[in-house]
């Protein structure tokens, strides 16, 4: 079974771009959440091998999602990337301190994301 | 990415940015109102920031450097504003509106040509200027606060700022913990958030660590004047656990919590940002949160395709019932009855399907009205006029395509109302009117039509001036006597404009004749009312949808035409004798009112059966749009039928009197009459159309 990647991102276009970047790799399935709450719903339902989250979402923020995942026995080892618009250095530091494995700045280069995914899911 | 997928991605990009801009515009208007009162709702401001932020991210992905740098500059400015580093002033709001205008022009341009760009130097300079006074707060302002560091660590910089603002206001900071059923936590949280917002500010909502089973726990960081016991009372939940730091429960001066502010801020910023967020009238955070996961964005082309298929189905059904009728007449009666029954069921279901697909195409005119608020703002600023815009009926629904096509004409009408209609504040004072002009933008549904009205309380239309101008332009002759209505009609004639310049809307020169043609192309009609000195009204009547309509099928000579049933009031059979001639026009008397007649055979240059056979019997379809009535004289009434209207395409769009072509069930194509166009032409006395 191919490995599954959860994408939490509230912009439909951005989400589609991430999905198509992953689809181009051919090896992975994706599951999409339009906000943090949806991501929380999906986590217990699906076996997810990697999580990609935005920081600015309308309900819970991406940092809270990272913290939740890292403090949860079931997902604490799941690789997690933050993709956010370049902005607050503080938010970035916090994200990494909370245990994100990588922080990508939008607009990200597709091959950069693909490289990271291969690195963590190989 | 292949070419097709990249153009699809570009379409997605345009439609998402348009959606964001719609919200931005709406929120900016709210923000602008807040400048006057000084109350700035952090949710509104944050919404605007998020909008600019999203556009920046998207533009970057598509390599639109211009769009990216503009939205980046806006985002910086907004970030400064929401973090309290930039003062909240009228010029700042004006800058934001100007930036939004440029942003819209850029996106509009790119939707036609990816390489479109604009000179951004002036607007970027303006933004830079507004952002002056920005000072960065170097130290960590929350370092000494007695809130669980685990929570502080997951707050974004903005949330930290909001937390600090709440403390500075002397509010208590409560941490509420509750747990929910996994199936309904989002709705419950939305409701709780809404309740809390009436009493303070929800700084952040955090999921509590732990396995997700049947239930999930959340913590809400809440700044409020309320005491712990008040919150318990407000929410009345057994599982509620509150821990509090701050004034309300602990006896401590608010200053005790406030850390040294490293940067001295301008007073204005403090004054506006420190106010309590007013209880927002439309608290919709909950519903908007849900809508994100409950709505789907669909390309209108896909809906058109569905609609066409439904249309074809409707036609197939007609053929089947025809066959049924023939079987009934010739063969097995029982089988024919069965077939008729099955056809009726099919018809009902089809009708539901048709209605369902139609409903999906419907969008509230509020989308359109939001755009108009920006126009009003811009034009009134340009003209130095004060305008109060009153919007009603924003939830009235119209077909998405109609909404799009009516946007430009409506913009033009509104612009005219402010530009030509409203007087300057000075002039208004002199005639004893309030300085602020009043423009009303109302929508309402009337049967199968939507009526959009634009009223202004300005100077009204100067009929004598219009007359003179028309004589000058050679549109009418010097001594010609015209009714008030006929004078208003002059406004819509090509080559007429009361000012010497044609107003320039979104870069295109548009006259009222174009407005009228655009509305007629939608099978709509426009009416003018005006009282000198008191104001004028433009009333647009539009069909709710264009896709499938019921039509009255009529025969004229050897041709068949369809008349949209929503404009047919009744049909009559008359003797040729009852036709009278008044002022060279044929009319009939109908229930004590005079209705002018239009012989369609003359309009379309066809031989009439009546003339050939000397028969005295005639059929008349009485049509009406708005308050006007007219009788179309035809040879035969063939019955009602659903027809699918297809556009004739650009090549034939000049043909007057025809709205489009329709397919009948028997693969025959007929022309659909443009009732509004025919009526107007006929009332003007120019029935010299030819097809």
């Amino acid at each position: 079974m191919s490995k599954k990647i959860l994408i939490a991102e509230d912009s439909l276009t951005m989400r589609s771009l991430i999905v198509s970047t992953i689809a181009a790799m051919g090896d992975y399935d994706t599951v999409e959440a339009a906000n943090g709450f949806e991501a929380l719903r999906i986590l217990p339902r699906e076996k997810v091998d990697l999580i990609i989250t935005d920081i600015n979402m309308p309900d819970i923020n991406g940092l809270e999602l990272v913290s939740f995942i890292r403090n949860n026995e079931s997902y604490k080892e799941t690789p997690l990337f933050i993709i956010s618009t370049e902005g607050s250095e503080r938010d970035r530091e916090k994200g990494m301190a909370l245990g994100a494995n990588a922080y990508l700045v939008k607009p990200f280069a597709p091959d950069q994301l693909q490289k990271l995914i291969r690195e963590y899911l190989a | 990415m292949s070419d097709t997928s990249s153009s699809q991605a570009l379409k997605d990009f345009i439609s998402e940015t348009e959606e964001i801009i719609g919200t931005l515009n709406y929120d900016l208007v709210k923000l602008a109102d807040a400048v006057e009162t000084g109350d700035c709702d952090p949710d509104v401001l944050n919404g605007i920031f998020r909008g600019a932020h999203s556009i920046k991210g998207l533009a970057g992905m598509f390599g639109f450097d211009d769009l990216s740098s503009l939205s980046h500059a806006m985002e910086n400015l907004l970030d400064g504003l929401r973090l309290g580093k930039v003062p909240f002033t009228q010029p700042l709001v004006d800058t934001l509106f100007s930036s939004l205008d440029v942003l819209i022009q850029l996106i509009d341009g790119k939707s036609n040509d990816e390489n479109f760009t604009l000179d951004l130097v002036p607007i970027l300079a303006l933004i830079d200027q507004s952002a002056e006074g920005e000072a960065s707060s170097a130290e960590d302002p929350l370092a000494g606060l007695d809130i669980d560091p685990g929570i502080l660590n997951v707050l974004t910089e903005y949330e930290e700022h909001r937390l600090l603002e709440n403390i500075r206001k002397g509010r208590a900071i409560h941490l509420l913990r509750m747990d929910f059923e996994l199936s309904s936590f989002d709705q419950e949280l939305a409701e709780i958030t809404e309740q809390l917002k009436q009493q303070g500010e929800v700084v952040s909502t955090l999921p509590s660590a732990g396995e997700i089973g049947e239930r999930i726990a959340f913590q809400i960081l809440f700044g409020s004047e309320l005491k712990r016991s008040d919150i318990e009372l407000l929410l009345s939940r057994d599982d509620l656990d509150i821990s509090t730091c701050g004034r309300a429960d602990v006896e401590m001066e608010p200053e005790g919590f406030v850390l040294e502010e490293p940067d001295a801020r301008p007073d204005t910023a403090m004054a506006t940002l420190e106010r309590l967020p007013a209880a927002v009238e439309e608290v919709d955070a909950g519903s908007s949160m849900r809508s994100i996961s409950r709505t789907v964005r669909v390309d209108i082309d896909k809906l058109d395709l569905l609609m066409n298929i439904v249309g074809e189905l409707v036609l197939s059904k007609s053929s089947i019932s025809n066959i049924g009728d023939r079987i009934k007449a010739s063969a097995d009666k029982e089988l024919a009855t069965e077939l008729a029954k099955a056809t009726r069921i099919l018809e009902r279901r089809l009708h539901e399907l048709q209605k369902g697909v139609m409903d999906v195409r419907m969008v509230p005119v509020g989308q359109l009205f939001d755009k108009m608020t920006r126009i009003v703002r811009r034009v009134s600023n340009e003209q130095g006029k004060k305008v109060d815009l009153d919007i009603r009926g924003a939830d009235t629904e119209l077909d998405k395509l109609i909404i799009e096509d009516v946007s430009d004409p409506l913009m033009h009408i509104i612009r005219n109302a402010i530009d030509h209609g409203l007087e300057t504040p000075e002039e208004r004072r002199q005639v004893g009117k309030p300085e602020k002009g009043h423009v009303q933008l109302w929508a309402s549904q009337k049967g199968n039509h939507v009526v959009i009205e634009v009223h202004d309380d300005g100077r009204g239309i100067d009929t004598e001036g219009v007359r003179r101008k028309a004589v000058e332009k050679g549109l009418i002759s010097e001594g010609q006597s015209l009714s008030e209505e006929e004078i208003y009609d002059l406004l819509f004639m090509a080559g007429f404009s009361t000012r010497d310049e044609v107003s320039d809307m979104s870069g295109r020169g548009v006259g009222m004749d174009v407005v009228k043609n655009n509305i007629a192309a939608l099978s709509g009609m426009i009416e003018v009312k005006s009282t000198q000195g008191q104001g004028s009204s433009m009333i647009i009547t539009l069909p709710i949808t264009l896709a499938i309509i019921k039509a009255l099928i009529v025969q004229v000579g050897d041709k068949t035409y369809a008349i949209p049933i929503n404009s047919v009031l009744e049909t009559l059979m008359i003797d040729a004798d009852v036709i009278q001639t008044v002022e060279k026009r044929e009319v009939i008397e109908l229930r004590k009112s005079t209705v002018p007649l239009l012989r369609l055979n003359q309009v379309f240059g066809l031989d009439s059966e009546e003339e050939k056979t000397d028969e005295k019997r005639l059929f008349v379809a009485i049509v009406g749009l708005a308050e006007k009535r007219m009788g179309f004289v035809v040879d035969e009434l063939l019955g009602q039928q659903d027809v699918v209207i297809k556009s004739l395409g650009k090549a034939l769009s000049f043909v007057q009197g025809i709205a489009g072509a329709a397919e009948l069930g028997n693969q025959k194509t007929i022309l659909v009459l443009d009732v509004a166009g025919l009526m107007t032409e006929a009332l003007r006395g120019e029935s010299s159309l030819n097809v």
Side-chain angles (χ1 to χ4, degrees):
Chain A
M1 216 173 77
S2 38
K3 294 196 168 171
K4 192 173 282 175
I5 302 174
L6 168 65
I7 300 147
E9 160 72 70
D10 59 331
S11 156
L12 176 67
T13 312
M14 191 55 78
R15 214 161 61 231
S16 312
L17 284 168
I18 298 174
V19 169
S20 61
T21 302
I22 296 173
M25 300 170 76
D27 302 329
Y28 306 105
D29 284 340
T30 49
V31 48
E32 301 172 46
N35 51 51
F37 284 168
E38 274 192 23
L40 292 176
R41 277 248 161 76
I42 290 168
L43 281 172
R45 211 172 57 211
E46 312 236 5
K47 192 193 164 304
V48 172
D49 304 286
L50 185 139
I51 298 158
I52 298 174
T53 182
D54 185 19
I55 284 199
N56 283 291
M57 291 187 289
D59 41 21
I60 62 170
N61 74 47
L63 297 176
E64 288 160 354
L65 191 64
V66 176
S67 161
F68 177 81
I69 287 166
R70 283 293 170 258
N71 286 301
N72 194 307
E73 277 306 312
S74 310
Y75 321 109
K76 63 193 236 190
E77 304 295 333
T78 310
L80 192 154
F81 308 156
I82 295 172
I83 298 190
S84 185
T85 316
E86 150 259 331
S88 169
E89 184 57 30
R90 208 177 154 85
D91 290 351
R92 176 199 166 98
E93 279 167 15
K94 279 185 166 185
M96 296 307 283
L98 288 168
N101 299 86
Y103 184 102
L104 272 84
V105 173
K106 293 177 200 170
F108 61 91
D111 52 356
Q112 191 193 354
L113 177 63
Q114 290 172 346
K115 196 173 144 237
L116 272 170
I117 292 175
R118 273 194 207 96
E119 191 180 312
Y120 280 90
L121 287 185
Chain B
M1 254 187 233
S2 72
D3 268 1
T4 42
S5 76
S6 82
S7 82
Q8 181 56 43
L10 182 68
K11 265 197 202 165
D12 286 349
F13 166 78
I14 301 286
S15 90
E16 180 159 8
T17 45
E18 277 178 348
E19 201 169 284
I20 296 171
I21 282 174
T23 320
L24 265 183
N25 185 44
Y26 182 76
D27 285 345
L28 263 184
V29 172
K30 273 199 202 166
L31 192 73
D33 291 343
V35 175
E36 278 174 33
T37 64
D39 267 337
C40 170
D41 181 346
D43 278 356
V44 170
L45 184 51
N46 195 35
I48 300 172
F49 169 79
R50 284 173 49 86
H53 180 83
S54 302
I55 292 178
K56 184 182 85 171
L58 291 170
M61 289 310 299
F62 281 85
F64 293 146
D65 294 340
D66 44 2
L67 199 56
S68 177
S69 64
L70 174 58
S71 45
H72 180 60
M74 288 172 76
E75 184 198 4
N76 270 349
L77 180 59
L78 286 158
D79 200 27
L81 184 60
R82 72 181 192 140
L83 293 176
K85 295 171 185 168
V86 175
F88 179 41
T89 59
Q90 183 63 48
L92 179 114
V93 172
D94 291 341
T95 302
L96 287 173
F97 269 108
S98 310
S99 316
L100 184 63
D101 279 340
V102 179
L103 201 67
I104 291 169
Q105 284 174 36
L106 265 180
I107 291 170
D108 268 359
K110 289 190 192 298
S111 68
N112 295 321
D113 173 11
E114 268 184 64
N115 298 318
F116 177 90
T117 189
L118 285 169
D119 176 17
L120 297 179
V121 175
I123 188 71
L124 290 177
L126 189 65
I127 296 175
D128 263 2
Q129 202 183 327
S130 300
E132 266 173 30
E134 190 172 340
S136 61
S137 49
E139 286 169 45
D140 183 351
L142 288 156
L145 210 65
D146 69 337
I147 291 180
D148 178 1
I151 289 180
L152 289 182
N153 280 342
V154 297
L155 298 183
T156 60
E157 189 178 4
Y158 173 65
E159 287 167 340
E160 284 179 354
H161 167 71
R162 293 309 315 164
L163 180 63
L164 210 65
E165 280 294 312
N166 275 280
I167 295 170
R168 191 176 293 120
K169 284 173 195 159
R171 289 176 171 181
I173 304 298
H174 305 277
L175 191 63
L176 285 55
R177 192 176 188 283
M178 282 159 276
D179 74 324
F180 305 94
E181 293 271 338
L182 190 62
S183 57
S184 60
F185 74 88
D186 44 358
Q187 282 100 325
E188 284 187 65
L189 271 171
E191 280 158 25
I192 291 171
T193 305
E194 199 158 313
Q195 275 179 304
L196 292 175
K197 273 187 176 174
Q198 312 289 333
Q199 306 290 339
E201 185 178 343
V202 172
V203 176
S204 188
T205 305
L206 315 84
S208 304
E211 290 300 312
I212 309 176
E214 294 290 297
R215 302 185 74 82
I216 180 166
F218 278 87
Q219 288 171 295
I220 297 176
L221 196 57
F222 177 51
S224 172
E225 306 275 335
L226 292 185
K227 287 201 184 105
R228 192 188 297 196
S229 52
D230 296 334
I231 301 175
E232 279 162 357
L233 212 62
L234 176 73
L235 297 181
S236 63
R237 288 180 68 103
D238 296 339
D239 62 335
L240 179 64
D241 174 58
I242 306 178
S243 57
T244 302
C245 57
R247 189 194 60 175
D249 285 38
V250 189
E251 282 305 312
M252 198 190 259
E253 289 299 304
E255 282 75 15
F257 278 96
V258 180
L259 293 146
E260 297 293 315
E261 248 324 89
D263 54 336
R265 294 164 196 224
D267 285 343
T268 45
M270 293 293 292
T272 45
L273 283 166
E274 256 191 81
R275 302 263 168 86
L276 303 184
V280 196
E281 266 175 45
E282 299 161 75
V283 183
D284 58 355
S287 57
S288 70
M289 223 136 76
R290 277 200 288 273
S291 72
I292 284 172
S293 51
R294 305 217 59 163
T295 56
V296 198
R297 200 180 1 242
V298 182
D299 189 325
I300 191 83
D301 289 347
K302 288 186 188 164
L303 289 181
D304 278 346
L305 180 69
L306 270 186
M307 202 67 204
N308 274 334
I309 296 171
V310 172
E312 306 291 330
L313 280 177
V314 170
L315 299 179
S316 315
K317 189 230 63 191
S318 302
S319 320
I320 294 174
S321 31
N322 276 338
I323 297 168
D325 290 346
R326 275 169 26 217
I327 294 178
K328 203 171 180 179
S330 64
D332 191 337
K333 291 264 185 299
E334 206 175 313
L335 196 61
T337 317
E338 287 288 298
L339 182 59
K341 220 162 95 189
T343 314
R344 271 201 303 280
I345 296 171
L346 176 65
E347 185 172 356
R348 264 207 305 278
R349 293 280 170 268
L350 258 181
H351 185 73
E352 285 165 17
L353 178 61
Q354 185 183 331
K355 196 171 169 301
V357 175
M358 210 91 100
D359 278 352
V360 175
R361 304 169 60 93
M362 294 294 166
V363 291
V365 292
Q367 290 187 357
L368 188 60
F369 286 4
D370 287 347
K371 258 197 210 169
M372 299 305 147
T373 53
R374 195 176 64 243
I375 304 297
V376 169
R377 225 193 114 78
R378 194 168 78 196
V379 179
S380 56
N381 272 352
E382 275 170 21
Q383 305 269 328
K385 291 176 180 171
K386 293 180 184 164
V387 183
D388 209 7
L389 180 67
D390 171 27
I391 287 180
R392 289 186 204 173
D395 53 357
T396 312
E397 293 193 322
L398 253 182
D399 191 302
K400 169 83 176 159
L401 281 184
I402 298 185
I403 292 244
E404 273 175 14
D405 287 351
V406 83
S407 171
D408 281 355
L410 189 61
M411 228 189 269
H412 189 79
I413 289 169
I414 297 224
R415 200 189 161 99
N416 265 351
I418 300 170
D419 206 350
H420 306 290
L422 293 183
E423 309 91 334
T424 60
E426 176 68 17
E427 286 166 334
R428 290 180 68 89
R429 249 199 328 273
Q430 281 169 5
V431 296
K433 289 182 182 178
E435 268 190 27
K436 220 173 190 181
H438 206 65
V439 175
Q440 294 164 317
L441 180 55
W442 293 354
S444 56
Q445 189 177 344
K446 300 227 161 80
N448 279 329
H449 287 95
V450 164
V451 180
I452 299 177
E453 299 164 66
V454 180
H455 309 284
D456 68 69
D457 68 345
R459 53 173 76 91
I461 294 170
D462 169 13
T463 44
E464 193 39 46
V466 171
R467 223 189 102 85
R468 264 202 317 276
K469 190 87 180 181
V471 172
E472 269 171 41
K473 298 248 171 186
L475 297 171
I476 53 169
S477 57
E478 182 70 58
Q480 205 170 331
S481 85
L482 294 173
S483 69
E484 204 161 281
E485 205 166 312
E486 284 167 322
I487 289 181
Y488 296 152
D489 279 345
L490 291 171
L491 297 173
F492 296 107
M493 284 177 78
F496 185 93
S497 106
T498 46
R499 297 268 173 97
D500 287 323
E501 86 285 3
V502 178
S503 79
D504 177 54
M505 196 73 254
S506 38
R508 291 176 292 260
V510 184
M512 284 303 274
D513 56 322
V514 177
V515 167
K516 184 171 193 180
N517 290 342
N518 287 353
I519 290 172
L522 297 169
S523 301
M525 114 168 240
I526 180 164
E527 249 186 303
V528 185
K529 287 181 184 160
S530 176
T531 311
Q532 207 146 355
Q534 290 179 24
S536 5
S537 306
M538 294 274 174
I539 299 151
I540 305 172
T541 308
L542 295 162
I544 288 181
T545 185
L546 293 176
I548 295 189
I549 57 161
K550 266 205 185 316
L552 174 69
I553 313 295
V554 298
Q555 187 161 354
V556 182
D558 55 355
K559 291 242 171 70
T560 318
Y561 295 97
I563 307 176
I565 205 89
N566 55 21
S567 37
V568 178
L569 303 171
E570 62 184 307
T571 54
L572 309 168
M573 189 176 73
I574 57 162
D575 278 339
D577 304 347
V578 305
I579 299 178
Q580 305 163 29
T581 305
V582 177
E583 287 177 3
K584 293 186 199 155
R585 272 183 190 164
E586 288 188 316
V587 298
I588 52 166
E589 198 78 26
L590 183 65
R591 289 188 290 274
K592 293 188 182 153
S593 69
T594 310
V595 178
L597 293 182
L598 181 68
R599 288 183 184 259
L600 291 186
N601 63 322
Q602 288 172 6
V603 172
F604 296 121
L606 300 166
D607 288 335
S608 164
E609 277 176 12
E610 182 222 345
E611 283 162 12
K612 278 186 285 187
T613 59
D614 268 353
E615 209 174 306
K616 295 271 172 140
R617 200 187 51 147
L618 288 172
F619 290 98
V620 178
I622 305 290
V623 293
L625 269 178
E627 279 140 35
K628 292 181 182 165
R629 303 271 174 275
M630 183 171 274
F632 285 180
V633 182
V634 301
D635 294 333
E636 285 291 341
L637 302 172
L638 300 177
Q640 284 186 24
Q641 200 163 344
D642 283 325
V643 296
V644 183
I645 298 200
K646 309 251 157 97
S647 156
L648 289 175
K650 281 225 162 70
L652 288 174
S653 60
F654 62 89
V655 180
Q656 281 183 302
I658 299 297
E663 232 175 90
L664 291 179
N666 49 6
Q667 312 294 315
K668 227 172 108 185
T669 302
I670 60 170
L671 295 173
V672 181
L673 301 184
D674 166 16
V675 174
L678 282 170
M679 282 176 74
T680 318
E681 289 300 314
L683 291 171
R684 201 184 285 157
E686 293 179 2
S687 49
S688 55
L689 317 172
N690 242 319
V691 174

